[in-house]
Amino acid sequence: MCWNATADLTAGTVVTAVGIVCVARVRRARDLPVAALPLLLGAHQLAEAAVWHAGGGRGPATTAWAVIALPVLPVWVPLGVLLAAAPADRRRLWGPAAVGLATAAVLSYCLATRPAVAEIRGHTVGYGVNVPWMPLVLAGYLFATLGALLLSGDRRLRLLGAVLGAGALACSALWRLEFASPWCAFAAVASLLVPGWVRRPGPGAAVT
């Protein structure tokens, strides 16, 4: 992924299909946000394929990519994990959920007042969004998305968090200027772990 439009289109199609299967097989309504994560991330990769075809810029595809990547994920992930968690695990998950809401509010304001711009840079896409206090916002973003998974009482979600954390470190080291695009692509691939979570035993079982 993030290599060209075809790679993003292929990955997006596969991950979206997996997401549809996960949603179809979910057994509890409160598991639906986590089960739908591959569907969301697959659609995200399809949006980036459209960004490639458009040659970057400020079009609808760039806006769709930025909305999912920036304000949506830091809310979707921690609230999804919180909803799916066993009652005994929920207290420690309120922190990432609250930080995610605050981070999403800042990023939503930034997108509303400073439209995102995409630029094709070799074999990846760079997205420009003017975000104030960037180190603090990034810390909040990562705590919301990764922290919620790592603090989960479910070992499968902790594994997903660990894989995404390793991916964030790798993408930061390899693509510092274009971090967001490769990391989101990595997240889409990592979400293929979600079907195993959907198939966990017992309709109310907590796997630790």
Side-chain angles (χ1 to χ4, degrees), residues 1-5 8-9 41 43-71 107 110-111 114-131 134 141 175-185:
M1 268 102 35
C2 297
W3 192 254
N4 54 37
D8 270 323
L9 180 61
L41 292 171
H44 195 229
Q45 291 308 117
L46 294 176
E48 185 159 272
V51 172
W52 280 101
H53 283 298
R58 292 184 175 179
T62 299
T63 300
W65 187 97
V67 168
I68 296 173
L70 301 180
L107 292 171
C110 292
L111 287 178
R114 310 172 181 93
V117 180
E119 180 182 351
I120 307 300
R121 298 171 180 168
H123 292 297
T124 190
V125 183
Y127 293 89
V129 181
N130 188 2
V131 179
M134 186 60 188
Y141 185 99
W175 295 284
R176 183 170 298 275
L177 294 178
E178 293 84 27
F179 169 80
S181 178
W183 187 77
C184 287

Side-chain angles (χ1 to χ4, degrees), residues 9-84:
L9 180 61
T10 302
T13 301
V14 171
V15 176
T16 298
V18 170
I20 293 171
V21 172
C22 288
V23 170
R25 293 184 176 179
V26 74
R27 290 173 290 188
R28 303 183 306 179
R30 61 193 182 93
D31 290 346
L32 190 57
V34 174
L37 188 58
L39 185 59
L40 177 67
L41 292 171
H44 195 229
Q45 291 308 117
L46 294 176
E48 185 159 272
V51 172
W52 280 101
H53 283 298
R58 292 184 175 179
T62 299
T63 300
W65 187 97
V67 168
I68 296 173
L70 301 180
V72 171
L73 282 179
V75 173
W76 190 289
V77 174
L79 289 183
V81 174
L82 177 63
L83 285 172

Side-chain angles (χ1 to χ4, degrees), residues 26-31 83-90 153-154 156 197-208:
V26 74
R27 290 173 290 188
R28 303 183 306 179
R30 61 193 182 93
D31 290 346
L83 285 172
D89 298 326
R90 290 175 189 163
D154 189 301
R156 293 174 180 83
W197 177 81
V198 171
R199 293 194 302 267
R200 69 196 188 285
V207 181
T208 57

